[in-house]
Amino acid sequence: MPKPFTPKIVTANALIEGDVIYLTNNGEWSRRHEDARLFNDEEAANAALAAAALQAGEIVGAYLADAAQGTKGPQPTHFRERFRATGPSNYAHGKQVEL
Amino acid sequence: MYTYTDFDEAFVRSRVAQFRAQVERRIDGSLTEDEFKPLRLMNGLYLQLHAYMLRVAIPYGTISARQMRQLAFIADTWDKGYGHFTTRQNIQYNWPALKDVPDMLEALADVQMHAIQTSGNTIRNVTSDHFAGAAGDEEADPRPYAELLRQWSTDHPEFQFLPRKFKIAVTGAEADRAVIRSHDIGLQLVEKEGQLGFKVIIGGGLGRTPMIGKVVRDFLPEADLLPYCEAIVHVYNTLGRRDNKYKARIKITVHENGIDTMRELIEARFKEIRPEFTGVDQELLAGIKAQFATPPLRKGDVAAYEAAYQMDPVFRAWADTNLTAHRDADHAIVTISIKAHGKTPGDATSDQMRLMADLAEEYAHGELRISHEQNVILPHVHKGDLPAIHAALKAAGLGTANIGLASDIIACPGMDYCALATARSIPIAQEIATRVDELKIEHEVGELKIKISGCINACGHHHVGHIGILGLDRAGVENYQVTLGGDHTETAAIGTRMGPGFSAEEIVPAIERLMLAYLDLRDAPQETFLQTFRRLGDAPFKAALYPESEARNAA
Ligand code: HEM
Ligand code: SF4
C-alpha cells in the first residue's frame, strides 16, 4: 500500500551561497522555514517541485520535505530538516545567528 | 618537501582556469546542475546541508608552514575562520560560496595545493603514515612512492571513470599508522634480501560492507610499483561492478572473484604492461626521493627538556602522550592535539593554523603533517625546544595531552554538515570528551580509540575503532550503535556489533560504563582495552552496556 501523503514543503539550496531555502506562497524563495508554503495535496506538491527544479539558475537540489503547521508557519518534523533550518550544533553559524 | 615541477604548476593552473569558466557558465545558466555536478566534484566541491564544502588534498599528509598559513588565509577570506582536518588527510571548508571557489583554488595553486580528485570515481588523494621520514621503525620513507603514485594517478586517462572511488595508502613501517588494510590498495615497504619492495594488499574498505584487505603480493620489487598498481586498477576497472553502487568497490570485486583469481588476472596484466615502463618512472622517483631528504638535524643539549620533564607535571603529561620516538635520539615527533576536550575533533581556527605554522618554521624545519586521526604533527623537533613549543601550544588551546586516549576521537562531520548523514557525530564526540575530562579517567584508561560515523558510509572509521559508534535514524530519532574490538593497525579487525542502539542521551553514559567495566576487568594496568576485549570476548562488555537486560536475566 502506498504511504498516505503527509504535508510537505519544497526546499533546496541557493545556487551561489548554498544556503537552505524554502519555496513560499508567492513562488519566491525564503531562507526561513516558517515562510514556506505547506502543501497538503500530493499533486500540488509534486507540481511545485517540478516547477522549482526548472529554476536551475537560482537553486540546487530541490526536494520535498515533511513539515507540520506551527503557530508561526510550517515547522520541520524530522531532525534533519530541523538542523537545516537552524545550522550546525557545534558552532553558532548559519541560520541560528544569521536570521 | 616536494615542490611542483613546471608541469605540475601548469596543470594545476589550467584546471583552476577551466573550473573558473565552468562556474561562470553555471552561474549564467549555460550549465545545468546535472552537467555541473560532476565537474564540481572533480574539483572537490560538494553541496552539504547548509552550504557548499570544498575538500582540499594534503597529499600524504605533508604540508609546509607556508601552505598552512595559506590555509588560514583561505579560512579567513572565504570561509568562517576555521577548517576541518579529515581522516583522509584533507582539509574541508564548510562555508564557501560558489562564486568564490575559483579564487580559493587559485590561492591554493599559489602554494602548490589543489582540490583535484578529492571526489568522484577516480584515484583519490594518496595517504601515508603521518610519521613518515621521522619514525624510528620504518624501512624507508613512504612519501616518495606516494608522490610517484599521485603523479601517475592524476588525470590518468584510463582511470577517470572507475566503477567507484579508489583509495591508496602507503606506509614504510610494520606498525600501521595509515590504516592500509582498509584501503583499496594498501602498500607496505618491506625489505627482502637487501632489496626494497612492497607488500601489496588489496580489497580493504569500510563503508556499508567493511572488509580487511588481503595480501595479493608478498613482495613486489620497488621498480615494479607503477606497472603493478596499474595492473590492479585495470583489472578492477574491467571487472568491477557498475550495475550496483553498493557493490562497486574493489573490496566486493575481490570478495566475489576471490583473491586467487584476482591475483592471476593482475599478474597476467602486469606481465603485459611491464615492458611499457622503461625506467622513466624510476628516474622520476630518484628525483622525488631527493626532495624528501631528512632536514639537517641539529646536535645539541637536551637539558631543557629533561629539566621541564622533572619539574613540570603538565609538561610531563603532555610529553608522555603527545611525543613519539624519532629515529634520532635527540629529536622527537610532536603530535599537536586538535581535540581539546569539548571541541570539534579535527577543527583548527585560522589563528591556531598560523601558530602551528610559526612553530614549524621556528623549531621544525618548516614542515607539518596531518594525521588520519585528525591531528597535526611536527615531525622533526629537537628535544631542547620542546618546553618552548609546549608553552606556546598551551597558550593557544593546543596543549591537550590526550593523543591515543579516550578523548582523541575520530568523528566525521555527521549531520551537522553532511548531506548523507543519518545522525550527528560531532556533539557525541564533544560530550564523550567532556565527560572523560570531568571524570579524569583517560590517563588511567590508557590507549583507547573511539571512532564515530554519522552514517553507514563510515567516514569516521567506526568499524576499526576499539569502540565504534555509528549514528542512525531510527524512526525519526537519532540512534547510536556500538561496535567493539575494531583495530585499524597491522592487526586489523572489524568491530563486532553489541546489540540495540542508544539514544543521543544514553550513548555517553553507555561509553562511560564500558570504560569503567574495562578498568575492573583488565588483569593489569598494561593490558589495553582492546587486549582485554580480545581476552574476554563480548559478554562482560555487553553486560556493562545493557545492565537492565543483565538484571532481567539474573532474576
Ligand atoms: C561531507 C561529505 C562526505 C561525503 C558526501 C562522503 C561520502 C562517502 C561515501 C558515499 C562513502 C562510502 C563509500 C563506499 O562505501 O563506496 C564514504 C567513505 C569514506 N569517507 Fe567519506 N564522505 C564525506 C566526508 C568525509 C570526511 C569528512 C572524511 C574524513 C574525515 C571522509 C573519509 C571517508 C573514509 C575514510 C571512508 C571509508 C573508507 C572507504 O571505504 O572508502 N569522508 N564517504
Ligand atoms: S560517515 Fe556518513 S555522515 Fe559521516 S561524513 Fe561520511 S557520509 Fe557523511
Side-chain angles (χ1 to χ4, degrees):
Chain A
M1 229 176 57
K3 270 203 294 200
F5 181 78
T6 48
K8 299 272 190 298
I9 55 158
V10 179
T11 180
N13 291 78
L15 173 66
I16 308 241
E17 301 84 8
D19 288 3
V20 175
I21 49 176
Y22 305 96
L23 188 67
T24 65
N25 278 318
N26 57 16
E28 288 171 356
W29 294 94
S30 165
R31 272 146 172 87
R32 292 175 194 275
H33 195 287
E34 59 266 27
D35 294 343
R37 173 170 173 195
L38 191 65
F39 292 90
N40 289 301
D41 172 74
E42 184 162 13
E43 250 170 65
N46 287 335
L49 177 62
L54 296 177
Q55 302 179 30
E58 253 184 275
I59 67 151
V60 193
Y63 64 93
L64 297 175
D66 280 320
Q69 192 59 46
T71 47
K72 285 191 245 145
Q75 297 296 319
T77 55
H78 189 276
F79 60 90
R80 183 178 196 269
E81 292 307 318
R82 212 160 56 237
F83 297 145
R84 285 181 82 236
T86 39
S89 49
N90 60 332
Y91 298 114
H93 287 161
K95 293 187 188 296
Q96 55 202 328
V97 290
E98 284 164 8
L99 291 184
Chain B
M1 282 187 50
Y2 183 75
T3 41
Y4 276 10
T5 58
D6 293 345
F7 174 83
D8 295 332
E9 172 79 22
F11 175 74
V12 169
R13 294 285 177 190
S14 76
R15 280 290 291 262
V16 174
Q18 260 175 27
F19 191 58
R20 189 179 292 282
Q22 288 158 352
V23 168
E24 277 163 18
R25 282 188 287 143
R26 176 68 182 98
I27 292 177
D28 74 18
S30 10
L31 285 177
T32 65
E33 185 60 19
D34 286 349
E35 290 162 339
F36 180 65
K37 188 175 173 185
L39 301 173
R40 71 167 156 79
L41 288 177
M42 279 168 68
N43 290 284
L45 187 63
Y46 286 76
L47 184 65
Q48 301 201 108
L49 283 183
H50 313 292
Y52 289 98
M53 178 271 280
L54 182 67
R55 181 183 286 166
V56 177
I58 300 172
Y60 32 89
T62 296
I63 179 175
S64 69
R66 174 164 167 258
Q67 291 171 322
M68 185 67 115
R69 276 197 200 99
Q70 188 77 339
L71 294 181
F73 170 77
I74 290 171
D76 283 338
T77 311
W78 295 290
D79 206 90
K80 293 189 189 291
Y82 75 102
H84 179 70
F85 292 105
T86 81
T87 49
R88 294 219 75 258
Q89 300 179 317
N90 296 302
I91 181 170
Q92 297 189 172
Y93 292 106
N94 284 319
W95 302 93
L98 178 59
K99 63 175 172 37
D100 294 335
V101 173
D103 291 341
M104 295 169 85
L105 295 177
E106 196 81 59
L108 288 168
D110 289 344
V111 294
Q112 310 200 329
M113 294 182 78
H114 62 74
I116 296 165
Q117 286 181 210
T118 58
S119 175
N121 296 333
T122 55
I123 299 176
R124 301 286 188 92
N125 185 30
V126 178
T127 54
S128 185
D129 181 357
H130 42 273
F131 295 160
D137 61 352
E138 73 184 12
E139 284 305 333
D141 189 339
R143 292 171 303 157
Y145 306 96
E147 173 57 28
L148 185 68
L149 287 163
R150 185 188 72 82
Q151 298 192 7
W152 159 79
S153 64
T154 301
D155 225 22
H156 192 301
E158 188 183 345
F159 304 143
Q160 290 305 300
F161 294 94
L162 294 170
R164 197 81 179 88
K165 57 173 91 165
F166 202 89
K167 301 179 180 176
I168 304 179
V170 200
T171 178
E174 171 64 22
D176 181 4
R177 292 174 287 259
V179 208
I180 62 171
R181 285 160 187 81
S182 79
H183 281 74
D184 298 278
I185 298 180
L187 297 164
Q188 180 192 339
L189 276 160
V190 287
E191 205 199 80
K192 194 176 152 190
E193 292 153 14
Q195 203 198 355
L196 202 55
F198 295 92
K199 183 188 314 188
V200 184
I201 295 167
I202 60 168
L206 299 172
R208 69 179 57 219
T209 327
M211 303 255 187
I212 301 294
K214 297 189 171 70
V215 176
V216 64
R217 181 71 106 86
D218 273 320
F219 187 81
L220 179 76
E222 183 190 8
D224 292 342
L225 179 65
L226 289 190
Y228 200 80
C229 285
E230 186 150 317
I232 295 172
V233 186
H234 174 86
V235 169
Y236 164 61
N237 203 17
T238 323
L239 223 60
R241 290 179 57 172
R242 289 167 200 268
D243 60 322
N244 181 342
K245 182 171 152 181
Y246 301 123
K247 302 204 163 159
R249 294 291 288 270
I250 193 176
K251 62 188 173 190
I252 306 291
T253 322
V254 173
H255 182 70
E256 289 184 346
N257 296 278
I259 187 73
D260 295 328
T261 306
M262 289 297 282
R263 185 179 296 117
E264 277 167 33
L265 293 169
I266 291 165
E267 295 289 345
R269 176 71 184 171
F270 172 64
K271 278 210 186 68
E272 235 171 85
I273 60 176
R274 183 66 187 85
E276 293 165 25
F277 288 76
T278 51
V280 179
D281 59 321
Q282 293 307 300
E283 283 162 30
L284 210 62
L285 179 65
I288 295 170
K289 276 185 182 168
Q291 303 202 39
F292 286 94
T294 313
L297 300 178
R298 127 179 156 240
K299 290 282 156 217
D301 191 3
V302 298
Y305 164 72
E306 275 152 12
Y309 193 85
Q310 292 306 322
M311 305 289 290
D312 177 355
V314 178
F315 176 77
R316 191 183 319 134
W318 178 80
D320 285 344
T321 49
N322 293 38
L323 300 183
T324 307
H326 192 280
R327 62 165 185 261
D328 178 82
D330 289 348
H331 282 72
I333 305 172
V334 174
T335 301
I336 303 171
S337 168
I338 36 179
K339 311 278 184 73
H341 299 102
K343 292 287 196 319
T344 304
D347 277 12
T349 65
S350 53
D351 285 340
Q352 291 176 331
M353 291 182 211
R354 274 185 288 267
L355 176 85
M356 293 187 281
D358 291 347
L359 291 175
E361 207 137 73
E362 193 169 347
Y363 300 111
H365 307 274
E367 189 180 328
L368 304 111
R369 307 286 176 78
I370 309 303
S371 75
H372 84 269
E373 291 177 313
Q374 302 178 285
N375 290 307
V376 177
I377 284 108
L378 301 174
H380 310 286
V381 176
H382 191 273
K383 284 185 177 167
D385 295 330
L386 288 169
I389 291 178
H390 177 246
L393 289 173
K394 210 169 62 173
L398 290 168
T400 315
N402 65 346
I403 298 303
L405 304 182
S407 62
D408 185 8
I409 298 170
I410 293 184
C412 78
M415 206 183 274
D416 286 304
Y417 299 93
C418 177
L420 304 177
T422 43
R424 289 174 299 173
S425 350
I426 291 170
I428 305 301
Q430 291 176 299
E431 286 166 33
I432 292 174
T434 303
R435 183 63 186 149
V436 155
D437 196 37
E438 282 164 8
L439 295 170
K440 299 276 171 243
I441 55 167
E442 66 181 327
H443 290 271
E444 174 73 23
V445 169
E447 188 187 331
L448 179 60
K449 307 277 186 188
I450 302 178
K451 304 182 197 258
I452 312 177
S453 305
C455 81
I456 192 78
N457 288 328
C459 305
H461 287 195
H462 67 275
H463 296 298
V464 291
H466 301 169
I467 299 179
I469 302 176
L470 165 62
L472 295 169
D473 174 351
R474 283 278 177 266
V477 182
E478 289 168 295
N479 186 273
Y480 295 90
Q481 239 173 40
V482 174
T483 51
L484 294 182
D487 177 357
H488 74 274
T489 69
E490 62 282 6
T491 46
I494 303 292
T496 319
R497 209 185 114 194
M498 287 297 113
F502 296 87
S503 70
E505 292 73 37
E506 293 165 345
I507 183 68
V508 180
I511 301 305
E512 178 178 333
R513 290 198 298 279
L514 280 176
M515 286 189 271
L516 295 175
Y518 152 69
L519 289 178
D520 283 344
L521 292 165
R522 67 183 179 189
D523 64 6
Q526 300 83 284
E527 191 183 57
T528 63
F529 182 92
L530 186 62
Q531 288 164 343
T532 304
F533 179 80
R534 285 185 171 162
R535 177 170 58 84
L536 295 174
D538 302 3
F541 292 94
K542 269 192 185 155
L545 277 173
Y546 305 104
E548 308 81 24
S549 67
E550 190 65 8
R552 230 179 299 123
N553 290 344

